[in-house]
Each structure stands twice: as C-alpha cells, then as structure tokens.
C-alpha cells in the first residue's frame, strides 16, 4: 500500500493544480510559518475572516477601524480608500477599487470576499422595525466523531469522546450583531460535573455599530486591540510574513468575540466619535481564567488551553478572575494619528510563578498591573511611519517602530525596530516578536515587496533579534537570525508559489556552558490551476532540514482537488510525509467546515488523506461532512499519556449543519 500510494502521488500531474477553496484561505496558508500555525491568534484571524465573508462590509459606510480588521491591508491602502470616498463620494461599484493605486491585484481580489457596495446610509440609523424584519438569523452546529479511543476515554476523562459546538447569530448589516457560542472539547463533561449548564465554554455578545456618534458598543464577550499591541492585543496575529504584507501598521479595534478561543474580555466597551478627528474608547471587563495554584493559594501559572477533561484540569477551571479596565484616546487627521492607551489589571489572587530556573525570574509577578502607551504614525502616498512606546507600572519600557516607503509603484521597503525590556511586564501584550513575547527582546527587521506586474510578487525579509536575559533551554544572552524569500504568481488560471526560509536560533549545549547555533532550512513549492467548469487542484511540496547535531530531514508532498457546481462542493486531498524527528516536522492546511480552523502538523512517516462534501439542502440549509485519516508507518501507537491511541491510524468525521434565514 505504501509503495502504491507513493507511486500515485508522484505521477499525479502538477498541471491539474487549481484553486482550492477561497482566495483568502490560500492567503493565510501563504503568510503562515511554523510558529504562526501554532499560535492561537491565527485561529482568531481565521474565525474573523470567516465571519466577514459571511457578512461583508459596505464600502460606503465602513469605518477605518473596520478596515483595520482585515490583516492584509496596509495603513497606506486604508488611508487611500478613506480619502477616495471622502473626495469622490459613495462608490458605485467594486470596480472603482482599480482607481486606488496603492491596492495591488492580490489585495483587490481578497477585498471582493469581504466587502460590497451598498447605499450610503452613514447619515441615518436603522429603525428597530427594519432590524427585526430584515435581520438575518444564522445557526451553525458542528460535531467531530473519532473512530478510535484514547487512553483517557476509558476512565480518566469526565465526558464523551465527541467534540461539538454551536453558534447562533442575529445580524443586520454593519449595525447589529447578537450571538451565542457554546463549545465542548472531546472528553469534557456535558450537563455534568461543573458544567451543569451544558457546554464547557460559552460566549455571548451584542455589538452595535455606526449609530450616530456611537461607532461601536459591545456587551458580553469582546476583543480589544490598541496601537501595535504593546499594552493590549487579543485580535489578529502579527506573523513575520503578514507584517510585511500589511507593512507593520497599527490598529485600534473593538469587536465582539464570536469565536471559540479563550482570549477575550467580558463586560462592556464602547468607541465614541467625539469629533471628525477624535475618537475615545473605554472598556470594563471581569473575566474568569484558568490557573494552577501554589500551596499558599496564589496563582502559579495562567493557562490558556481551555481543556477541562480530567479532575485535575477541572480543578484549574476559573479559579482566577481578572478585572481589566482602560481605554484609548485617538486623534486622526491629514494622515497623522496619535493615541494614548491605558490598561489596568487586578487579579483576585496574586500571581506568583515559579522562579527556580533563571529564565523564569522575569515572568510577571504581582496582583496589580498597569500599562500605558503612546502610539503614533503618519501616512502619505509615498511613506508611512508607525510606532508605539509603552511603560509598565515600574517604568520598564517597550517600544516598536516601523518605517515604510514606496520607492515606486512596484517596489516597497519597510524597516521595523523593537526593544522590549526583559523587565517589562504585561499580561495582555501581543505584538511583533521573534521570541513570542513582548519581553526580553530587541531587534531589527528589514523587508522588501516587489510587484513587477499585477500577477507577480516577490517578498523578502531578514530579521535579527537579541535576547538579553536567559530563555527556555538558553541559559545566557543569545540571538537569532531569520530570513525568507518568497515569490508568487497569481494569474487567471495558474497560481504558482515558491518559498525558502533560513533561520538560526541558539541553544544550550549538554553542559549548559556554551551556546550552539541551530540552523533550520525550510522550503515550499506549490502550483494551482482553475478551470471554467468548477474543477480546481493544488500540488504542494514542503521540505525542511534542521542542521543541528547529526542533521534531520523532513518533507511532504500533497495533492488536493476541489469541484464546485451550484449547490454542491467536493474537496479531496492526500499527502505523504517523512521526517526524521519532530524538529523537522511539516504542516498542511486543509479545507474544513465553516469556522473550523484546520492546520495539521506531521512528523515521522505516513500518509494523510481526506474527503469533504458540502451541499445546500432546501435553499437555506447547508450540510458539510468531512472525513480525514492519518496512517503512520513508523509507530504502533499515536500520542502519549491520556491522549495516546493504541494504533497507527487516526480517523475523524466532522459534521456541520448550517441554517440561514
């Protein structure tokens, strides 16, 4: 079977490659790296783009803050779109985006999935009768059924082995959004134990927008991002390639939390337009958190996994609460923006992490946290400047600054500098970094974006980072160096891509006396082709080499096909992977049911294959079914501990029912 499968994979014609799914899903795959795929912020980005696709924004009423929710737009592109509308009035068609020179072909294509041109209703608020009569109801229910047993399913897990969630949302254009999300991980109790109200996780929310001077009002669960994330950011992620795509712009968004991720605020927040140039945002939140406790009842570690499958995990549920309040005052006019941001956090029990190892001694340690910042920027047709400088309550500093310049219509460059003191303490900061935290890092990033034609794009960056304090598996000061070169061709039928990444990180030797340089090479080749009758196909080759110790190789070749015709959509895919270890692992993005983020990682040797069917039933009803299997050739069991599967194969069935009226 193994030999037959490999032979089939090798002879499958590369030329049959075509579009798989939506363009924006391909965009996420193209800008992701290994680190991004493991980040919760990218799952939130995926959920946001799914929702915006279902409820696109009206170009004639959209605000700057709403455009900032789209991670692929630069500050200059957003400024040019707002200026065009101000100068020429309401747009008549999406084709007018061609008149905005800073928007490239890729951005225009992506925008068509998330915007539409409607009436200019910015001067009037909707009537309650119209909201109730013409509002849209959407109900989505999803379940994952495993065809295997984990070790914990025998006695240790408190619930059934099925993962399921539901989402109801009522919406009226850009103005009203009301919803409820309930989610359950496999193994968690349902209407039992501490989950007597059913699901293990709930998110309820109400969002009002564009009602006179009230730009945004959120009640329930919501997300808040300020500046460039040095004080607070639980919105979309800022990976290295994505940073080059949006040229490191800042953001200031307040939006309802309609996803299943555990990073959110709970309470209320509002953004008010004080004048044409001034906007003010304020919020108040009281949020339960999971945490491990010390013997003296202080909190040792704040957890974000959200798992409550065993008695031990359930004991950590919501035993810490955080009161968070703050806001932002922002000035924007003539391409200039200036903002003041503040956040105060009070925990109902002190946070006292373990400080046994050297790298743990800089972890946040307190019961009260205070962070303030100034974010600033200037945008013109040729250049843009963005930055933020923040202080914690003890005066420790963190700063990030970007400079972007358009050397011509086809060539842009950017530089990013950051300095995060190893003593800077913040629980909610999330910004650009190589080490994954806004702490203990300084560095310089240089990027280049070249568009010699509307179809062809070349991107490249180099990033140097220095870490003054010790890190995990690094017992002294260290540095890293990361560079990437990526080229993409996006035609009417063909889409071709190539990527090469070289990264160096330092790590302790066995005696922890000196540091060794750990070099990692990664590459990707992809080709796509689309036909006029709904058939599409994608071929992708991923490879990597970790030049550490004896050296480790890894690679994966995958093929996927898609067919869309009226009410029916089919997706089928398969891939063969072979890696020497986890360090040379590969990853693959798969299409899945709506709002179901699917980025899988593989190591060892085996095959992955899946089939998805999506069909419209009775007009407003959509049914999706996906079955996927991973067969390993190099092991007799999968996973470890309670997650261990006593077998070499893992098969899951996803079912989703979606009803819209």
């Amino acid at each position: 079977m193994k030999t037959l499968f490999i032979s089939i994979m090798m002879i499958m014609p590369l030329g049959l490659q075509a579009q798989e799914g939506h363009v924006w899903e391909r965009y996420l795959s193209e800008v992701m790296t290994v680190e991004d795929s493991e980040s919760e912020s990218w799952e939130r980005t995926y959920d946001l783009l799914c929702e915006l696709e279902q409820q696109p924004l009206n170009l004639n009423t959209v605000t700057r803050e709403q455009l900032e929710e789209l991670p692929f737009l630069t500050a200059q592109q957003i400024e040019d779109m707002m200026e065009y509308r101000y100068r020429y009035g309401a747009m008549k068609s999406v084709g007018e985006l061609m008149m905005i020179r800073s928007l490239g072909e890729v951005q225009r294509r992506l925008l068509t999935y998330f915007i539409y041109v409607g009436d200019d209703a910015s001067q009037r608020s909707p009537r309650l009768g119209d909201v109730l009569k013409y509002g849209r109801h959407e109900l989505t229910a999803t379940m994952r059924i495993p065809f295997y047993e984990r070790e914990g399913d025998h006695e240790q897990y408190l619930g059934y082995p099925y993962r399921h969630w539901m989402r109801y949302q009522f919406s009226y254009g850009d103005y009203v959004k009301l919803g409820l999300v309930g989610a359950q991980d496999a193994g968690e109790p349902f209407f039992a134990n501490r989950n007597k109200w059913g699901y293990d996780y709930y998110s309820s929310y109400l969002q009002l927008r564009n009602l006179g001077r009230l730009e945004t009002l959120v009640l329930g669960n919501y997300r808040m991002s300020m500046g460039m994330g040095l004080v607070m950011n639980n919105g979309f992620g800022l990976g290295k390639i994505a940073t080059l795509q949006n040229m490191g712009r800042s953001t200031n968004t307040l939006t309802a939390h309609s996803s299943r991720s555990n990073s959110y605020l709970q309470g209320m927040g509002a953004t008010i337009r004080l004048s044409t140039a001034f906007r003010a945002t304020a919020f108040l939140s009281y949020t339960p958190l999971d945490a491990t406790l010390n013997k003296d009842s202080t909190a040792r570690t704040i957890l974000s996994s959200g798992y409550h499958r065993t008695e031990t995990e359930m004991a950590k549920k919501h035993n810490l609460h955080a009161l968070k309040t703050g806001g932002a005052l922002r000035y924007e006019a003539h391409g200039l923006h200036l903002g003041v941001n503040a956040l105060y956090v009070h925990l109902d029990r002190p946070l006292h992490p373990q400080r046994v190892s050297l790298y743990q001694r800089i972890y946040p340690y307190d019961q009260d946290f205070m962070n303030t910042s100034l974010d600033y920027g200037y945008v013109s047709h040729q250049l843009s400047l963005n930055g933020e400088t923040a202080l914690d309550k003890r005066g420790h500093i963190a700063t990030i600054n970007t400079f972007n310049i358009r050397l011509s219509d086809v060539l842009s460059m950017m530089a990013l500098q950051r300095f995060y003191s190893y003593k800077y303490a913040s629980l909610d900061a999330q910004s650009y970094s190589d080490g994954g935290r806004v702490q203990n890092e300084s560095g310089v990033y240089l990027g280049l974006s070249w568009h010699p034609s509307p179809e062809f794009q070349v991107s490249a960056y180099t990033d140097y980072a220095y870490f003054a304090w010790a890190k995990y598996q690094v017992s002294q000061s260290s540095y890293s160096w990361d560079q990437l070169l990526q080229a993409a061709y996006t035609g009417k039928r063909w889409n071709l891509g190539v990527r090469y990444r070289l990264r160096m990180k330092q790590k302790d030797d066995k005696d922890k006396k000196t540091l060794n340089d750990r070099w990692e090479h990664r590459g990707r080749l992809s080709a796509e082709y689309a036909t006029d009758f709904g058939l599409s196909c994608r071929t992708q080759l991923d490879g990597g080499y970790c030049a550490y110790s004896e050296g480790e190789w890894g690679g994966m070749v995958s093929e996927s096909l898609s067919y869309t015709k009226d009410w029916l959509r089919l997706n089928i895919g398969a891939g063969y992977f072979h890696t020497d270890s986890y360090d040379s692992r590969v990853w693959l993005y798969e299409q899945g049911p709506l709002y179901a983020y699917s980025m899988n990682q593989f190591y060892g040797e085996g095959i992955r294959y899946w089939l998805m069917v999506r069909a419209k039933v009775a007009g407003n009803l959509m049914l999706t079914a996906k079955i996927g299997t991973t067969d390993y050739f190099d092991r007799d069991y999968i996973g470890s501990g309670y997650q261990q599967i006593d077998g070499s194969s893992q098969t899951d069935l996803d079912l989703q029912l979606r009803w819209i009226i």
Side-chain angles (χ1 to χ4, degrees):
M1 178 181 178
K2 172 182 173 182
T3 304
L4 176 63
F5 177 82
I6 296 175
S7 301
I8 293 174
M9 291 296 298
M10 296 304 294
I11 65 175
M12 289 183 76
L14 190 68
L16 287 179
Q17 182 64 21
Q19 286 185 334
E20 175 195 3
H22 301 306
V23 174
W24 68 265
E25 290 182 283
R26 189 172 68 245
Y27 161 79
L28 279 187
S29 178
E30 289 175 351
V31 301
M32 276 187 178
T33 62
V34 176
E35 297 78 16
D36 298 327
S37 67
E38 297 170 341
S39 171
E40 181 184 309
S41 63
W42 280 95
E43 185 170 355
R44 295 196 299 268
T45 302
Y46 172 83
D47 288 341
L48 171 66
L49 293 179
C50 278
E51 184 169 331
L52 287 176
E53 183 189 29
Q54 302 304 313
Q55 298 173 314
L57 303 168
N58 183 356
L59 266 181
N60 289 323
T61 61
V62 67
T63 65
R64 186 186 308 272
E65 288 70 25
Q66 287 175 286
L67 287 176
E68 287 176 347
E69 294 178 7
L70 298 172
F72 51 82
L73 292 178
T74 68
Q76 180 188 350
Q77 290 166 346
I78 294 174
E79 182 70 23
D80 289 349
M81 292 173 68
M82 300 302 291
E83 181 181 349
Y84 182 91
R85 195 176 71 186
Y86 174 78
R87 179 176 296 182
Y88 300 107
M91 294 187 182
K92 303 302 181 183
S93 72
V94 177
E96 289 190 57
L97 292 175
M98 296 282 292
M99 305 299 294
I100 302 175
R101 295 179 61 186
S102 61
L103 282 175
E105 178 67 20
V106 174
Q107 283 80 14
R108 284 196 297 268
R109 287 192 185 187
L110 286 169
L111 273 172
T112 59
Y113 287 88
F114 308 114
I115 54 91
Y116 72 99
V117 173
D119 295 333
D120 181 6
S122 58
Q123 301 301 319
R124 62 181 185 272
S125 299
R127 295 179 299 178
L128 179 59
D130 290 338
V131 173
L132 297 177
K133 183 177 181 180
Y134 300 109
R136 164 174 145 156
H137 301 265
E138 176 186 336
L139 179 63
T140 304
T142 305
M143 171 177 281
R144 168 166 290 185
I145 302 172
F147 290 87
Y148 51 84
E149 283 190 347
R150 300 189 188 274
E151 190 67 30
D153 293 330
H154 298 152
E155 293 183 1
Q156 293 82 6
Y157 287 161
L158 302 173
Y160 298 106
Y162 311 108
R163 177 185 180 187
H164 53 97
W165 59 270
M166 58 77 64
R167 180 178 186 266
Y168 166 77
Q169 182 168 286
F170 171 83
S171 59
Y172 179 80
D174 301 339
Y175 299 102
V176 181
K177 185 162 65 175
L178 171 69
L180 174 67
V181 177
Q184 194 83 8
D185 286 310
E188 294 177 337
F190 189 58
F191 283 107
N193 203 280
R194 291 178 59 181
N195 295 339
K196 62 180 180 179
W197 297 105
Y199 284 106
D200 180 75
Y201 165 87
Y202 281 105
S203 178
S204 58
Y205 53 90
L206 169 64
Q207 175 179 289
L208 305 177
R209 271 182 167 167
N210 301 330
L211 302 179
R213 290 188 177 273
L214 181 65
E215 286 203 347
T216 306
L217 173 67
V218 289
L219 301 174
N221 290 6
Y222 60 96
R223 299 190 299 268
M224 178 69 196
S225 300
M226 298 186 290
M228 299 189 74
L230 300 188
V231 170
M232 169 171 280
N233 176 20
N234 51 25
F236 63 80
L238 293 172
K240 290 189 175 183
I241 307 178
T243 296
L244 182 58
Q245 297 279 355
N246 61 39
M247 290 295 173
R249 62 174 170 82
S250 63
T251 182
N252 197 61
T253 58
L254 177 67
T255 184
H257 178 73
S258 56
S259 71
R260 289 164 287 136
S261 68
N262 291 305
S263 179
Y264 61 88
L265 300 173
Q266 183 173 274
M268 64 180 299
T271 297
I272 299 175
R273 185 172 63 251
L274 302 177
S275 66
T276 304
F278 283 95
R279 287 169 174 80
T281 299
F283 60 90
L284 177 65
S285 168
Y286 188 71
T287 310
L289 303 172
D290 293 356
T292 57
L293 303 182
N294 296 310
K295 293 181 179 180
D296 60 357
S297 296
T298 59
R300 183 172 62 194
T301 307
I302 298 177
L303 306 173
S304 60
S305 68
Y307 290 131
H308 307 116
R309 301 162 297 186
T310 65
E311 291 288 358
T312 301
E313 291 177 346
M314 187 63 76
K316 301 173 184 178
K317 181 178 181 179
H318 296 177
N319 51 19
L320 178 66
H321 291 77
L323 172 67
K324 302 180 181 181
T325 184
L329 179 63
R330 191 174 178 92
Y331 168 84
E332 286 184 278
H334 310 296
L336 177 70
H337 78 261
L338 186 65
V340 179
N341 312 295
L343 171 66
Y344 169 73
V345 178
H346 172 75
L347 305 178
D348 64 350
R349 63 176 83 224
L351 179 61
H352 288 176
Q354 285 185 329
R355 296 195 166 190
V356 178
S357 300
L358 185 62
Y359 73 90
Q360 295 175 323
R361 296 178 187 177
I362 61 172
Y363 284 2
Y365 185 100
D366 215 331
Q367 188 167 5
D368 296 278
F369 298 84
M370 182 71 184
N371 298 88
T372 57
S373 76
L374 182 70
D375 76 273
Y376 37 84
Y378 174 75
V379 180
S380 71
H381 293 292
Q382 293 299 122
L383 61 88
S384 65
L385 302 168
N386 286 285
E388 183 178 14
T389 299
L391 296 173
D392 65 14
K393 74 174 188 177
R394 293 181 174 86
H396 304 128
I397 191 172
T399 184
I400 182 171
N401 300 276
T402 66
F403 172 74
N404 316 294
I405 184 170
R406 292 184 65 197
L407 300 176
S408 67
D409 288 343
V410 299
L411 183 63
S412 299
M413 296 183 65
M414 76 165 294
L416 182 149
Q417 170 273 333
R418 73 270 191 195
F419 170 77
Y420 309 145
S421 168
Y422 68 87
K423 294 184 178 181
Y424 182 73
S426 174
L427 299 182
D428 296 271
Q430 178 184 297
S431 189
Y432 180 91
S433 70
D434 185 82
R437 301 174 61 190
V438 181
Q439 188 184 39
N440 185 33
E441 180 173 328
S442 58
V444 176
Y445 170 105
L446 300 175
L448 173 73
S449 182
W450 180 42
H451 295 259
S453 70
E455 298 83 12
F456 191 68
Q457 177 183 3
V458 176
S459 302
Y461 72 72
T462 182
D463 184 40
Y464 173 85
Y466 173 73
F467 311 98
W469 195 263
K471 299 174 59 183
Y472 177 65
Q473 295 185 335
V474 184
S475 57
Q476 55 185 289
S477 300
S478 63
Y479 70 93
S480 67
W481 190 30
D482 184 15
Q483 39 269 316
L484 177 138
L485 177 63
Q486 178 171 290
Y489 172 82
T490 306
K492 182 179 179 181
R493 297 184 182 276
W494 282 96
N495 294 281
L496 307 174
V498 58
R499 176 196 294 185
Y500 171 69
R501 186 186 187 193
L502 174 63
R503 188 177 188 186
M504 189 280 291
K505 298 181 70 175
Q506 293 186 305
K507 186 177 180 180
D508 283 335
D509 64 3
K510 294 182 179 180
D511 298 328
K512 295 186 178 181
K513 293 181 179 180
T514 60
L515 297 179
N516 293 327
D517 295 342
R518 182 178 181 272
W519 292 89
E520 183 180 280
H521 305 257
R522 288 192 176 273
R524 171 180 293 177
L525 294 172
S526 64
E528 304 182 20
Y529 181 80
T531 67
D532 292 330
F533 51 88
L535 179 64
S536 63
C537 176
R538 175 181 180 87
T539 301
Q540 183 170 300
L541 176 64
D542 291 278
Y545 174 68
C546 184
Y548 185 72
S549 185
E550 298 180 358
E552 298 167 348
W553 291 89
M556 182 172 193
V557 57
S558 60
E559 183 81 20
S560 57
L561 296 94
S562 174
Y563 177 75
T564 304
K565 188 66 174 179
D566 299 327
W567 56 273
L568 179 65
R569 179 173 177 182
L570 299 174
N571 290 87
I572 185 171
Y576 167 76
F577 58 91
H578 190 173
T579 78
D580 291 335
S581 71
Y582 178 79
D583 288 336
S584 56
R585 66 195 181 278
V586 292
W587 76 102
L588 181 67
Y589 179 82
E590 296 178 10
Q591 284 247 280
L594 192 64
Y595 306 116
Y597 177 79
S598 182
M599 177 64 77
N600 297 315
Q601 291 190 357
F602 307 98
Y603 68 96
E605 184 182 11
I607 59 174
R608 169 70 180 175
Y609 45 96
W610 71 94
L611 170 67
M612 187 179 78
V613 180
R614 182 178 298 169
K616 288 186 178 180
V617 183
N620 295 327
L621 194 63
M622 179 178 291
L623 177 64
T624 303
K626 176 187 176 182
I627 188 166
T629 298
T630 305
D631 286 326
Y632 291 92
F633 304 146
D634 61 342
R635 66 196 70 176
D636 297 323
Y637 61 90
I638 304 171
S640 60
Y642 291 160
Q643 288 291 92
Q644 180 173 312
I645 301 169
D646 291 331
S648 61
S649 180
Q650 180 177 348
T651 300
D652 293 281
L653 173 65
D654 292 320
L655 298 174
Q656 184 178 87
L657 189 66
R658 184 164 172 256
W659 183 39
I660 302 175
I661 57 173

